[in-house]
């Protein structure tokens, strides 16, 4: 059986609402069945086993409905429709067996299982229902009931399979729409093309429940091949990126550039009965079986990936070429999976190329502005401070030895010297480090801390957890957030110590600005400028009191 790309959804509000609706319909069904049996019996008294079975099912339905309304997770799970199968089998057994019309109740369990949990769960319930009805029929029927038993069993199996197929398709479409929505949210120029590609690979790998996701691209301007690999259960930060020169000799590039390929290594004797490799050509009306040469290429790819199955689709790149490979060591793929992979790449890669163009344009513009800024910085900023320092030195010489302002003039001159040194250092860094945007984060933080200490006497500790990879625009935003947070500490508190902690966790940049407890009592507030800036970046800011009594501002931004 081919591996399906449907899975049980998490228990959320929509699932709880569906469970409540199903519980309500189960209660209505149980009561209606008892009324129907009572009306059909007429003046005759119901047999005790029949009365006991239907009354028990009503109590069961009432219990499930009450617990579902109270939000008990167990009564929203898979065990409930399996209990329905057992109750329906008991009802059929105590009524007319093969002749009982209550065999139609099995469709209730098949519907609820397939439309809530997907193809695999619905298929199991269908097989169990058919087996239960057949066993119950064989135990209660006579020789003349065999044709009707066969007919009803076949009808239950055929219609159940159709219901299961449509239920699984419904959940599959929901998951595909959710994936496309997630991928569209990832398409943000702020993250950069590399980050978007890595997150897309992570989402694709999780969606197909595959073992490996491989992305192979070539830039026509440079001719270099770039191989990106992501393994199962790895985060997008662990994407392996390699530059390969002679990629044409690899089996990965032996596939036709415009073909979507599906290959499953089937066990014996299925490998003799069914074709293992199929290809869908762009513009064609359907799939076709690979010829012997194509089958050998697919076998080489499977051997190289050490997989049981793989799907591959071309990348619709305007400025290059490439392919994506999704392989599995355990499950199999179907044609729908391969076509959806191709559709997913058609949706995301034009956006990624646009992000690359925008990022390149922004980087070139930033480099030009940095060079211009470095050339103009000396004349527009450094020279006035030099003049200010010379003026302070002149005033210092004019002041008498007993003038009380001499010490203050010395301090101002020292501050001017520090500003001049910072400006010259910054101008050199801007001029020579335009291509290393992440290298200035930590030095800038330390310079901000030194400035706060020199002007206000506040000690600021800086901690960076792990490796923080930011582009130049995000670096500027982080430095602005830190500056605003430190200014708030200086203006609105009497604290003499503070800290800055920067790190990345679960795909989110976390910035924590904290100050020690002081005489002021903690008042819950929300810094407007920091909150608005974080919201503009797609994140959020919150303030809470630390265990030590201090105040902490936590900013989280998705990267």
């Amino acid at each position: 059986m081919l591996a399906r790309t449907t899975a049980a959804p998490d228990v959320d509000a929509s699932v709880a609402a569906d469970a409540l609706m199903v519980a309500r319909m189960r209660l209505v069904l149980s009561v209606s069945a008892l009324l129907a049996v009572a009306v059909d019996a007429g003046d005759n008294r119901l047999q005790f086993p029949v009365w006991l079975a239907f009354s028990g099912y009503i109590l069961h339905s009432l219990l499930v409905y009450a617990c579902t309304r109270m939000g008990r997770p167990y009564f929203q799970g898979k065990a409930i429709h399996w209990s329905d199968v057992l109750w329906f089998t008991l009802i059929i057994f105590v009524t007319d067996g093969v002749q009982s019309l209550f065999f139609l109740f099995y469709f209730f369990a098949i519907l609820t299982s397939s439309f809530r949990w997907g193809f695999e769960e619905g298929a199991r319930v269908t097989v169990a229902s058919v087996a239960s009805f057949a066993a119950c029929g064989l135990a209660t029927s006579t020789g003349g009931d065999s044709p009707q038993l066969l007919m009803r069993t076949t009808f239950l199996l055929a219609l159940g399979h159709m219901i299961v197929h449509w239920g699984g398709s419904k959940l599959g479409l929901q998951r595909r729409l959710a994936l496309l929505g997630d991928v569209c949210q990832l398409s943000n120029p702020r993250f950069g093309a590399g980050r978007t590609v890595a997150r897309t690979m992570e989402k694709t790998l999780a969606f197909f429940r595959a073992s490996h996701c491989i992305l192979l691209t070539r830039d026509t301007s440079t001719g270099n091949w770039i191989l990106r690999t992501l393994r199962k259960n790895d985060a997008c930060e662990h994407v392996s990126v390699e530059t390969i020169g002679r990629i044409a000799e690899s089996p990965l590039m032996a596939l036709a550039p415009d073909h979507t390929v599906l290959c499953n290594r089937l066990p014996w004797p299925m490998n003799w009965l069914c074709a293992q490799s199929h290809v869908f050509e762009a513009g064609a009306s359907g799939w076709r079986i690979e010829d012997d040469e194509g089958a050998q290429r697919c076998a080489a790819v499977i051997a190289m990936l050490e997989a049981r199955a793989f799907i591959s689709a071309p990348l619709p790149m305007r400025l290059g070429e490439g392919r994506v490979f999704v392989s599995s060591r355990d499950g199999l793929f179907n044609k729908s999976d391969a076509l959806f992979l191709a559709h997913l790449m058609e949706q995301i890669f034009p956006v990624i190329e646009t992000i690359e163009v925008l990022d390149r344009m922004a980087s070139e513009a930033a480099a030009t502005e940095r060079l211009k800024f470095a050339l103009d910085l000396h004349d527009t900023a450094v020279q006035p401070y030099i003049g200010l320092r010379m003026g302070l030195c002149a005033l210092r010489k004019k002041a008498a030895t007993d003038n009380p302002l001499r010490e203050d003039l010395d301090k101002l001159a020292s501050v001017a010297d520090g500003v001049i040194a910072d400006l010259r250092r910054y101008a050199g860094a801007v001029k020579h480090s335009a291509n290393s945007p992440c290298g200035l984060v930590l030095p800038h933080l330390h310079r901000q801390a030194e400035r706060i200490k020199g002007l206000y006497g506040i000690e600021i500790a800086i901690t960076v957890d792990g490796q923080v990879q930011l582009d130049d625009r995000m670096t500027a935003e982080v430095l602005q957030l830190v500056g605003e947070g430190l200014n708030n500490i200086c203006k609105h508190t009497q604290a003499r110590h503070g800290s800055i902690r920067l790190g990345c966790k679960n795909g989110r940049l976390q910035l924590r600005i904290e100050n020690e407890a002081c005489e002021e009592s903690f008042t819950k507030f929300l810094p407007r400028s920091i909150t608005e800036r974080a919201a503009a970046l797609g994140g959020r800011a919150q303030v809470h009191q630390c265990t030590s009594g201090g105040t902490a501002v936590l900013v989280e931004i998705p990267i």
Side-chain angles (χ1 to χ4, degrees):
M1 183 180 292
L2 296 180
R4 301 287 173 168
T5 57
T6 55
D10 296 333
V11 177
D12 54 11
S14 61
V15 174
D18 290 343
L20 183 61
M21 183 272 297
V22 171
R24 189 183 299 115
M25 291 300 102
R26 180 185 292 106
L27 183 59
V28 172
L29 183 66
S30 60
V31 174
S32 301
L34 181 59
L35 292 176
V37 171
V39 171
D40 184 65
D43 296 334
N44 299 325
R45 188 173 182 179
L46 287 177
Q47 297 180 1
F48 178 74
V50 176
W51 174 264
L52 183 62
F54 281 94
S55 300
Y57 186 55
I58 290 177
L59 293 177
H60 165 77
S61 302
L62 186 60
L63 175 64
V64 172
Y65 176 72
C67 294
T68 304
R69 283 191 64 89
M70 290 187 293
R72 301 292 178 85
Y74 175 79
F75 291 89
Q76 301 174 9
K78 299 180 180 180
I80 303 303
H81 56 253
W82 284 105
S83 65
D84 286 337
V85 173
L86 296 177
W87 278 108
F88 298 154
T89 304
L90 177 62
I91 289 173
I92 293 172
F93 183 80
V94 299
T95 51
D96 297 331
V98 177
Q99 303 296 332
S100 176
L101 290 177
F102 293 108
F103 85 98
L104 296 174
F105 280 18
Y106 282 121
F107 290 117
F108 179 81
I110 295 172
L111 279 167
T112 57
S113 60
S114 59
F115 277 87
R116 291 192 61 203
W117 305 103
F119 179 87
E120 295 180 356
E121 184 67 16
R124 285 192 286 265
V125 173
T126 301
V127 173
S129 300
V130 171
S132 299
F133 178 71
C136 186
L138 291 175
T140 60
S141 66
T142 60
D145 293 332
S146 297
Q148 192 168 10
L149 175 61
L150 179 60
M151 185 63 187
R152 290 192 173 186
T153 303
T154 305
F155 175 73
L156 185 62
L157 181 62
L159 189 57
H161 175 74
M162 295 175 62
I163 294 172
V164 167
H165 175 74
W166 286 331
S169 299
K170 176 241 184 185
L171 288 185
L173 289 175
Q174 288 181 345
R175 294 187 69 239
R176 291 179 180 182
L177 289 175
L179 176 62
L180 290 173
D182 291 342
V183 168
C184 291
Q185 291 180 359
L186 296 175
S187 305
N188 194 322
R190 184 179 76 247
F191 301 148
R195 178 73 176 184
T196 304
V197 171
R199 291 286 289 172
T200 301
M201 294 177 65
E202 181 185 26
K203 294 288 185 179
T204 303
L205 192 64
F207 176 84
F208 289 104
R209 291 180 289 179
S211 303
H212 286 82
C213 182
I214 298 175
L215 201 66
L216 193 62
T217 58
R218 184 177 73 91
D219 190 349
T220 54
S221 60
T222 61
N224 294 328
W225 286 95
I226 299 178
L227 179 66
R228 293 180 173 88
T229 306
L230 184 65
R231 294 178 175 84
K232 183 179 180 180
N233 299 326
D234 283 348
C236 62
E237 291 82 5
H238 299 95
V239 172
S240 174
V241 182
E242 301 180 49
T243 302
I244 304 177
R246 303 178 64 184
I247 195 63
E249 299 179 0
S250 172
L252 298 178
M253 289 309 299
L255 304 180
D258 58 343
H259 289 178
T260 301
V261 180
L262 164 67
C263 184
N264 291 310
R265 188 167 59 185
L266 302 176
W268 186 90
M270 295 295 295
N271 57 345
W272 293 97
L273 301 176
C274 302
Q276 301 187 68
S277 303
H278 296 79
V279 62
F280 185 88
E281 187 175 357
S285 58
W287 290 83
R288 64 175 176 83
I289 300 175
E290 275 278 29
D291 53 18
D292 293 339
E293 183 178 356
Q296 292 178 359
R297 291 195 294 264
C298 292
V301 173
I302 278 189
M304 178 181 179
L305 300 178
E306 298 180 352
R308 184 183 178 188
F310 81 90
I311 50 179
S312 178
L315 302 180
M317 301 176 63
R318 297 187 298 268
L319 304 176
E321 59 178 316
R323 294 193 72 86
V324 59
F325 293 84
V326 177
S327 63
S328 175
R329 292 183 177 179
D330 303 321
L332 303 176
F333 298 110
N334 54 34
K335 296 176 182 178
S336 177
D337 295 333
L339 292 179
F340 176 69
L341 179 64
H343 177 69
L344 180 64
M345 295 301 109
E346 290 174 359
Q347 296 297 316
I348 188 61
F349 256 85
V351 180
I352 290 176
E353 287 192 310
T354 303
I355 292 175
E356 288 181 340
V357 173
L358 292 176
D359 192 61
R360 190 179 303 115
M361 293 172 60
S363 298
E364 291 175 355
T368 303
E369 287 297 322
R370 282 173 176 168
L371 180 60
K372 181 177 180 299
F373 182 73
L375 295 176
D376 295 341
L377 187 61
H378 183 271
D379 296 331
T380 59
V382 177
Q383 287 292 347
Y385 270 101
I386 293 177
L388 175 62
R389 183 184 179 283
M390 294 175 63
L392 292 173
C393 291
L395 289 175
R396 168 70 172 74
K397 292 180 180 179
K398 289 183 179 181
T401 55
D402 58 347
N403 195 316
L405 296 178
R406 288 172 61 92
E407 185 177 354
D408 294 335
L409 291 174
D410 289 338
K411 290 182 179 180
L412 289 176
S414 177
V415 171
D417 287 337
V419 172
I420 292 172
D422 288 341
L423 288 174
R424 284 175 172 170
R425 192 184 307 112
Y426 179 70
V430 168
K431 181 177 181 180
H432 299 292
S433 303
N435 295 325
S436 58
C438 298
L440 297 177
V441 179
L442 195 57
H444 266 298
L445 293 179
H446 283 296
R447 279 195 290 273
Q448 285 185 340
E450 292 174 1
R451 179 180 64 85
I452 295 298
K453 182 179 179 181
L455 296 177
Y456 299 95
I458 301 176
E459 295 281 350
I460 303 295
I462 299 174
T463 305
V464 178
D465 297 332
Q467 188 175 6
V468 180
Q469 296 293 335
L470 302 175
D471 57 15
D472 49 358
R473 291 176 293 282
M474 185 59 71
T475 299
E477 297 289 349
V478 169
L479 294 176
Q480 186 66 30
L481 288 169
V482 171
E484 293 176 0
L486 293 179
N487 289 334
N488 289 338
I489 294 176
C490 299
K491 294 178 181 178
H492 304 297
T493 70
Q494 300 296 324
R496 311 312 300 169
H497 294 85
S499 64
I500 300 172
R501 180 177 293 272
L502 190 66
C504 289
K505 184 178 181 181
N506 298 328
R508 303 181 72 87
L509 175 68
Q510 295 184 344
L511 172 63
R512 184 183 179 92
I513 305 172
E514 186 176 341
N515 62 271
E516 66 176 351
C518 47
E519 297 179 357
E520 299 91 351
S521 59
F522 176 78
T523 303
K524 191 172 183 179
F525 70 100
L526 202 61
R528 186 181 64 178
S529 58
I530 294 179
T531 302
E532 292 177 352
R533 188 176 294 273
L537 297 172
R540 63 175 183 172
Q542 53 185 343
V543 180
H544 59 85
Q545 188 176 15
C546 306
T547 55
S548 59
T551 303
V553 179
L554 179 62
V555 181
E556 290 187 349
I557 301 172
I559 58 173

